[in-house]
Amino acid sequence: MNKILAKERFSENVVKLVVEAPLIARSRKPGHFVIVICGEKGERIPLTIAEADVSAGTITLIIQAVGDSTRKICALEPGDSLTDVVGPLGRATKIADYGTVVCAGGGVGVAPLLPIIRAMKEAGNRVVSVLAARTKDLIILESEVRRYSDEVIIMTDDGSYGNKGLVTQGVEDVINRENVDMVVTIGPAIMMKFVAELTRRYSVPTICSLNTIMVDGTGMCGACRITVDGKTRFVCVDGPEFDAHKVDFNEMMSRLRAYTPAKI
């Protein structure tokens, strides 16, 4: 059992939980994720670690309520416990001094992007962060992102905050005004697809972090399989980060719709 120590609600459907997990906090690196279970018969929910505090023995998780299991997790309060938290899982982000790195995050994708932004800055990069959401209320972790970024660009679909437009517009503006050595993008699959299509045109290396359907998290079940450069890969053990220019996003998005109710 892993106790919830603190909770913050970002919006009606997005919450931040600080969870007691000292061993995970000690070994976690940017890009790692955990699988969380709430209740003895609960689903296995993969969540990227947004922050870790080694001295406090805690990890921070950002959860969006999209189904019964995630709603149950979001309803937990300080003092309650998660049944299981397993990790860290996956491969850590390759952090290096690339030069100028653009970090593009959409919605709750900003949560797993935050530790990468921090690590890229600490490695000596110039970091430009582009945060995007439908409306102002859905922009999360802005102050934390600003702490580790040289510049932050906000994009909202409705223009209620920052610049009106999509994340790709913000990324392209940066590419057009200065040399960009690397792009890291995390968010909805459709967002990452279009960021990848944009950066391919400019020949800018791009890394994406994928959010496929996942079950066991150890590569045994095959639920998270994707195609990268024409070969089958498993997000849980080969990822979650891949060369965005080589990912078959259309196949991935089709698989993400596997449990969508059929229209009759």
Side-chain angles (χ1 to χ4, degrees):
M1 303 287 279
N2 297 79
K3 186 179 290 186
I4 308 297
L5 301 182
K7 178 180 182 179
E8 180 181 351
R9 185 171 291 278
F10 290 143
S11 66
E12 182 180 355
N13 293 316
V14 180
V15 302
K16 178 176 83 172
L17 297 179
V18 178
V19 181
E20 192 175 55
L23 295 179
I24 297 174
R26 193 181 309 158
S27 55
R28 155 269 181 195
K29 293 180 180 179
H32 280 153
F33 68 95
V34 293
I35 286 186
V36 172
I37 299 176
C38 183
E40 293 298 329
K41 296 183 179 181
E43 290 181 272
R44 300 161 74 95
I45 306 295
L47 298 168
T48 307
I49 304 167
E51 293 180 271
D53 187 328
V54 177
S55 60
T58 62
I59 60 173
T60 298
L61 306 175
I62 310 293
I63 306 98
Q64 182 175 23
V66 293
D68 290 342
S69 295
T70 46
R71 279 193 288 269
K72 189 174 181 180
I73 295 172
C74 288
L76 295 174
E77 297 293 339
D80 294 335
S81 294
L82 291 164
T83 307
D84 283 302
V85 179
V86 178
L89 300 171
R91 296 176 181 266
T93 306
K94 182 181 178 181
I95 303 297
D97 187 355
Y98 297 102
T100 296
V101 179
V102 173
C103 295
V108 293
V110 176
L113 193 61
L114 177 60
I116 297 173
I117 292 170
R118 177 176 180 174
M120 288 292 188
K121 183 59 184 173
E122 291 175 346
N125 294 283
R126 166 173 162 76
V127 177
V128 180
S129 298
V130 183
L131 310 185
R134 293 193 307 275
T135 68
K136 177 182 179 179
D137 293 341
L138 298 178
I139 295 289
I140 66 170
L141 300 172
E142 180 186 350
S143 61
E144 290 87 348
V145 169
R146 289 190 183 278
R147 191 178 307 151
Y148 303 110
S149 303
D150 293 279
E151 180 183 358
V152 175
I153 298 169
I154 306 292
M155 306 296 298
T156 51
D157 291 1
D158 62 0
S160 56
Y161 189 45
N163 305 304
K164 184 176 182 179
L166 302 175
V167 67
T168 46
Q169 293 170 256
V171 173
E172 189 166 25
D173 286 346
V174 180
I175 293 174
N176 282 331
R177 78 178 190 214
E178 62 184 283
N179 181 67
V180 173
D181 300 285
M182 172 69 73
V183 170
V184 181
T185 182
I186 308 180
I190 189 68
M191 184 205 91
M192 293 187 288
K193 173 187 174 180
F194 282 108
V195 169
E197 290 182 358
L198 168 70
T199 58
R200 184 184 289 109
R201 296 202 305 270
Y202 290 96
S203 299
V204 179
T206 302
I207 298 299
C208 61
S209 181
L210 303 185
N211 52 353
T212 53
I213 295 168
M214 202 175 290
V215 180
D216 74 325
T218 63
M220 298 295 290
C221 70
C224 67
R225 66 186 180 275
I226 57 167
T227 300
V228 181
D229 200 20
K231 299 176 182 179
T232 298
R233 293 289 183 261
F234 300 99
V235 172
C236 64
V237 292
D238 297 319
E241 295 177 3
F242 296 91
D243 182 337
H245 296 162
K246 296 180 179 180
V247 173
D248 186 337
F249 280 103
N250 291 333
E251 177 194 60
M252 174 185 161
M253 289 187 291
S254 177
R255 290 182 58 79
L256 284 171
R257 292 191 292 268
Y259 296 101
T260 303
K263 295 180 180 180
I264 300 176

